[in-house]
Amino acid sequence: MNKNYINIYNNLVKLTRNKELYQDFENQDTFSDRLIFFLLHFAFFLKIYKENNDKKLLQEIYDYIFRQVELSIREIGYGDQSINKKMKDYLNLFYGMIDKIHDWDGLTKESRISMLKVFLDNAINTEHLADYFEKYRLNLENNTLTSHIKGVIKQ
């Protein structure tokens, strides 16, 4: 597995640490919320870069990212028996996200807000998050996949 993908993983982790994302949450900054934000960022990442990039490369990135997620879950203390179940749950959640954001570009702001509420049920208000993810999507479109592999992107 290519360790160059650690920069992509680190970028995603850095994005999930943005305290502004959690400003309208009932419970501030839980592991579950961070993981959901991580997966949402990664879903947008794959949505943008799947069009014009090598599918094998994207599969390697996908495998690397989910291996890192699994290692992180192990580090916080989940046992071997619960890891497989948790990873299956997270993968199903991720595929649901990919399915929902597939048409993001054509959605109204209200539809985007509703879609985010499905995943961010701890959030009291998701309007600013719809704006945030639109800016994130545009940022991804204005950068190349190679730029993410080579270094940490500053936002």
Side-chain angles (χ1 to χ4, degrees):
M1 210 173 296
N2 192 329
K3 293 204 182 246
N4 288 334
Y5 307 144
I6 190 68
N7 291 328
I8 295 170
Y9 178 78
N10 287 340
N11 282 332
L12 294 170
V13 168
K14 181 182 174 192
L15 289 168
T16 66
R17 290 183 177 154
N18 179 351
K19 295 292 183 196
E20 291 180 20
L21 295 175
Y22 305 93
Q23 70 187 14
D24 292 324
F25 276 56
E26 293 176 18
N27 301 315
Q28 293 291 306
D29 198 5
T30 65
F31 174 76
S32 177
D33 292 333
R34 274 200 186 198
L35 186 58
I36 289 169
F37 275 124
F38 180 91
L39 295 174
L40 277 168
H41 282 95
F42 190 45
F44 275 96
F45 180 91
L46 289 179
K47 173 189 174 10
I48 297 302
Y49 293 120
K50 73 175 183 179
E51 297 298 320
N52 300 319
N53 291 283
D54 178 21
K55 303 295 182 214
K56 183 178 183 262
L57 174 65
L58 286 173
Q59 184 63 50
E60 287 176 7
I61 292 169
Y62 171 92
D63 293 343
Y64 183 85
I65 295 295
F66 275 99
R67 177 69 180 135
Q68 293 299 99
V69 168
E70 180 182 340
L71 291 172
S72 295
I73 293 168
R74 287 182 188 280
E75 283 181 17
I76 63 169
Y78 284 99
D80 286 340
Q81 291 179 335
S82 61
I83 290 287
N84 288 339
K85 182 186 180 322
K86 285 286 184 193
M87 286 307 295
K88 183 178 177 183
D89 292 343
Y90 294 143
L91 285 169
N92 286 335
L93 176 64
F94 181 69
Y95 290 127
M97 289 174 178
I98 288 201
D99 184 52
K100 295 282 187 194
I101 68 164
H102 178 72
D103 297 322
W104 178 270
D105 306 3
L107 296 177
T108 64
K109 185 172 181 176
E110 291 75 23
S111 296
R112 291 174 179 174
I113 291 167
S114 295
M115 187 269 299
L116 289 171
K117 283 181 183 178
V118 169
F119 301 111
L120 300 167
D121 58 359
N122 190 20
I124 298 165
N125 175 10
T126 56
E127 184 172 345
H128 76 283
L129 295 174
D131 294 335
Y132 169 86
F133 278 106
E134 178 58 13
K135 288 177 188 170
Y136 176 65
R137 182 188 69 80
L138 294 171
N139 180 285
L140 289 171
E141 284 183 349
N142 290 323
N143 287 288
T144 65
L145 178 58
T146 304
S147 69
H148 290 279
I149 292 171
K150 289 188 176 183
V152 176
I153 303 292
K154 294 191 178 193
Q155 297 246 330

